Amino acid sequence: MAEDFDLIWQGLRATRWDPPAPAAKDKARRRTYVAALEQAEQLMRAAGRVGPASSPLLLFYGLSQAGRAIAAAAGELTGPDWLLDGHGIKATPGALRSPGLAEITTVTDAPGRKGSFARLSELLESPLWPEGERDPVRLELVWDCIPECRDLALSEDPVARRTTLQIEPEMYSRMDQNPIVPTPLWPLPDWVMDAEDGHAALAEYLSVFVLGERAAQPYLLASEGGPPDFERHVGGWGEITVNWELPPGAPGGEAGKLAYLESFTRGYCGGRYLFPAITGRGQTMHPLMAWWAVLFVLSMLARYEPARWGAHIAVDSSPHAVTLERILGRAREVVPQVVAETLQEVGG
């Protein structure tokens, strides 16, 4: 992983002499792009030299600086809109003193504000939950929007969890003009596969995901008329092949089907995923913003409640200590790749 980490940063460094067009054409944006990426790299590299007591601070502020580079590279942000001011997300009053991690809640700035989280969320079509307008969002919900957290639960209720689902990108590339697009979908939890009514359990599980443009259930199963044909894998998780139906008038063929699937999935580390819609408004978390929200909460705990954070990472007394160590380690490895993919998304 260290080699991958270095290669990703080499790729990001290589963009600094020739930034995405919006940053390349404007001197102020270019200066911010170059300086912010340098700071992001230094902070994330430094996170690998300290333990979990301090690494959330370095990881979050590294991501925050990378966010300034993303804003500078985004062609959709015109005029002064690329300039960010403040976090754009905050913990609700008293939330950091919650005895549990899963229950810590956050609120965000409203749309149109210059806070980093709000401005980038709007840019990436990711949800906001402004104070006074929407319910605060619990850490466990954004935590489960990170694919690496699938086996690192904060919640004690497995039935309530909704984790990201991956689709198989190679399957639909071989399809012809048929309007059906079969794709394996995984990982599904065992309670869905063990349910007496598998169809009802699958529909309930998928109810918080955006599933395309065609009706409430834009897919068919090969097992229509019988129980779902789940395939169980090691560890209790499973998959099922879902036959997506193209909307009327949508182009077929490889390009058309790829475009349709990309319209309701998100790219993540080279794969395609369904992300939960955590606010119930049909807008899914962008992976960059999911990492942002999680690292923000962990960094605020470490900064403002160091004794509580120390208790959470105490391996001899905390049930979450090793989980936190693992996700902080994965953040250092994965977040730079998410940043690189997001730069391609907004600067292309």
Side-chain angles (χ1 to χ4, degrees):
M1 281 299 180
E3 182 180 355
D4 292 341
F5 177 83
D6 287 335
L7 287 173
I8 292 167
W9 277 115
Q10 287 173 17
L12 286 168
R13 288 172 67 85
T15 69
R16 286 165 49 182
W17 77 273
D18 184 21
K25 295 176 181 179
D26 183 285
K27 290 182 179 180
R29 291 173 78 132
R30 184 185 186 117
R31 286 194 297 267
T32 295
Y33 180 85
V34 170
L37 271 187
E38 177 64 25
Q39 291 177 333
E41 181 177 358
Q42 289 191 21
L43 287 163
M44 289 191 180
R45 287 188 181 279
R49 298 192 290 269
V50 299
S54 301
S55 63
L57 296 165
L58 296 166
L59 289 166
F60 171 70
Y61 284 102
L63 175 55
S64 180
Q65 293 309 97
R68 294 181 183 278
I70 290 168
E76 290 186 30
L77 298 181
T78 58
D81 288 349
W82 66 275
L83 294 166
L84 306 180
D85 184 13
H87 289 314
I89 184 173
K90 64 181 180 180
T92 54
L96 297 179
R97 294 188 290 277
S98 170
L101 280 170
E103 298 80 20
I104 294 175
T105 52
T106 57
V107 292
T108 71
D109 285 353
R113 301 289 295 275
K114 295 181 66 173
S116 299
F117 188 89
R119 182 59 53 84
L120 290 172
S121 291
E122 286 192 277
L123 173 68
L124 300 171
E125 299 183 346
S126 193
L128 294 171
W129 47 98
E131 186 174 13
E133 299 179 23
R134 307 282 287 277
D135 291 335
V137 168
R138 301 188 310 278
L139 175 61
E140 62 184 337
L141 292 180
V142 289
W143 178 277
D144 283 340
C145 289
I146 295 175
E148 284 77 8
C149 289
R150 186 197 77 188
D151 295 320
L152 304 174
L154 290 185
S155 172
E156 297 181 359
D157 182 1
V159 177
R161 295 186 73 202
R162 296 295 185 271
T163 58
T164 57
L165 295 168
Q166 188 169 4
I167 66 170
E168 176 58 57
E170 285 79 18
M171 290 297 292
Y172 55 78
S173 66
R174 297 193 295 269
M175 298 298 107
D176 55 20
Q177 293 296 321
N178 191 305
I180 301 299
V181 192
T183 61
L185 184 70
W186 81 92
L188 295 167
D190 56 0
W191 69 263
V192 171
M193 296 180 291
D194 293 338
E196 183 174 347
D197 186 342
H199 288 287
L202 179 63
E204 178 186 350
Y205 190 82
L206 295 179
S207 64
V208 301
F209 295 88
V210 176
L211 301 176
E213 304 172 7
R214 184 189 174 100
Q217 181 176 306
Y219 64 86
L220 302 169
L221 301 178
S223 53
E224 289 292 331
D229 187 16
F230 296 117
E231 182 179 351
R232 193 180 299 271
H233 294 276
V234 175
W237 296 86
E239 71 174 64
I240 191 167
T241 296
V242 174
N243 298 301
W244 306 101
E245 289 188 284
L246 289 177
E254 179 180 344
K257 293 176 180 182
L258 174 60
Y260 175 61
L261 290 175
E262 287 182 347
S263 72
F264 60 91
T265 60
R266 300 271 192 185
Y268 184 79
C269 295
R272 301 297 306 182
Y273 288 78
L274 288 166
F275 283 76
I278 63 170
T279 61
R281 294 282 184 94
Q283 201 172 36
T284 64
M285 286 292 287
H286 189 281
L288 183 87
M289 307 321 298
W291 274 110
W292 196 296
V294 168
L295 291 176
F296 169 79
V297 170
L298 301 187
S299 71
M300 292 300 103
L301 270 173
R303 182 176 181 181
Y304 294 112
E305 295 288 341
R308 289 182 183 276
W309 177 244
H312 285 306
I313 60 174
V315 294
D316 54 349
S317 58
S318 169
H320 297 307
V322 174
T323 290
L324 290 168
E325 288 179 358
R326 288 177 61 187
I327 203 59
L328 290 170
R330 291 296 290 146
R332 181 176 174 271
E333 297 166 350
V334 171
V335 167
Q337 184 169 351
V338 177
V339 168
E341 291 178 344
T342 306
L343 281 169
Q344 290 183 333
E345 181 180 342
V346 304

